[in-house]
Amino acid sequence: MADVKIGGGWKEKLAGEFEQAYFKDLTEFVRKEYTGATVYPAPKNVFRAFEETPFDDVKVVILGQDPYHGANQANGLCFAVNPGTKAPPSLQNIFKELESDLDHPVNRDTDLSRWAKQGVLLLNATLTVNARTPGSHQGRGWEQFTDAVIKKLNDERSALVFILWGNYAKQKGTHIDRSKHLVIESPHPSPFSAYSGFFGSKPFSKTNDYLVQHGEVPIEW
């Protein structure tokens, strides 16, 4: 199959996935979609989360579902959008909770690469989507691939923080070993559920407290 362009030490860790039939089918599907339709994010950004946060540098995993499906939004990092793009409602609510949790103003740059560079893996379960068609690339193999990512981190790393917002993320994180990692769960930050337990959940300070307890440098959110 075509050489998969993925850096940060992930290529070696996930080599077994790239040889499987499901990944070959997924690659073919995604290639055809990019050829015949408008697909987000840009091809160079499909594996951006991995490029920005190498395997050995991961401290925190935030799990999203689909990339944004509007123009100039998806940038390869879950919940983030391109610089200069207005923050979508979920990201606005993340910033609100962040400021409330830490009790001071925060950088509201929508790109979020500043988090990724500190070890926050901003991982969507599905890494591509057709324009204006949410969920259009679900069930094609991405979920199996990102399950393998989570399993590899779960098995080979210790004292990571997994932040699971919403039922979809909670379900995807079912098999994380809670005896060696911290799992933070709450409702999703979307306007439909943020007021039912996302606001006030303090995931950012809980994450940093745990990292400090385990000898890691906290995240500058």
Side-chain angles (χ1 to χ4, degrees), residues 18 44 67 102 104 113 125 133 144 158 160 165-166 193 206 216:
F18 302 139
K44 67 178 182 180
L102 303 185
H104 62 69
S113 60
T133 318
Q144 187 172 341
S158 60
L160 300 181
W165 290 327
S193 54
K206 288 176 182 174
E216 292 285 356

Side-chain angles (χ1 to χ4, degrees), residues 4-155:
V4 180
K5 300 287 192 292
I6 181 170
W10 289 97
K11 188 165 188 174
E12 296 72 24
K13 295 294 182 183
L14 300 170
E17 299 304 307
F18 302 139
E19 297 307 317
Q20 292 190 42
Y22 89 85
F23 196 86
K24 294 174 183 179
D25 292 344
L26 169 63
T27 302
E28 193 59 35
F29 166 74
V30 171
R31 189 179 289 128
K32 283 181 178 172
E33 291 299 296
Y34 271 107
T35 303
T38 301
V39 178
Y40 301 122
K44 67 178 182 180
N45 287 333
V46 171
F47 293 116
R48 184 179 174 210
F50 303 97
E51 304 283 346
E52 298 275 13
T53 313
F55 182 86
D56 291 336
D57 294 347
V58 175
K59 297 178 181 178
V60 182
V61 181
I62 297 180
L63 197 57
Q65 189 166 355
D66 258 13
Y68 294 115
H69 54 87
N72 201 40
Q73 288 187 310
N75 68 1
L77 307 177
C78 75
F79 293 105
V81 292
N82 286 314
T85 302
K86 182 183 176 187
S90 289
L91 183 55
Q92 290 180 35
N93 286 339
I94 288 169
F95 287 147
K96 280 183 193 171
E97 173 59 19
L98 181 53
E99 294 196 337
S100 169
D101 183 0
L102 303 185
D103 198 28
H104 62 69
V106 299
N107 183 342
R108 286 185 174 237
D109 176 15
T110 58
D111 175 69
L112 299 188
S113 60
R114 67 187 180 283
W115 295 1
K117 286 175 169 49
Q118 296 179 74
V120 182
L121 180 66
L122 295 163
L123 181 66
N124 275 315
T126 303
L127 299 187
T128 52
V129 69
N130 281 357
R132 300 175 299 282
T133 318
S136 47
H137 290 197
Q138 291 177 7
R140 294 288 185 162
W142 278 131
E143 296 91 341
Q144 187 172 341
F145 176 72
T146 50
D147 280 347
V149 171
I150 294 168
K151 185 176 190 309
K152 186 65 74 168
L153 287 166
N154 178 63
D155 293 351

Side-chain angles (χ1 to χ4, degrees), residues 162-166 169-171 173-174 178 183-187 201:
F162 290 86
I163 299 177
L164 310 178
W165 290 327
K170 289 178 193 174
Q171 187 63 38
T174 302
R178 284 150 168 82
V183 177
I184 298 174
E185 299 181 342
S186 82
S201 61

Side-chain angles (χ1 to χ4, degrees), residues 166-212:
N167 290 331
Y168 183 90
K170 289 178 193 174
Q171 187 63 38
K172 200 167 176 71
T174 302
H175 301 296
I176 296 167
D177 183 350
R178 284 150 168 82
S179 71
K180 68 176 198 172
H181 302 291
L182 175 65
V183 177
I184 298 174
E185 299 181 342
S186 82
H188 195 277
S190 87
F192 302 107
S193 54
Y195 287 94
S196 60
F198 172 75
F199 287 134
S201 61
K202 299 188 178 299
F204 306 102
S205 59
K206 288 176 182 174
T207 293
N208 279 352
D209 289 347
Y210 182 84
L211 291 175
V212 170

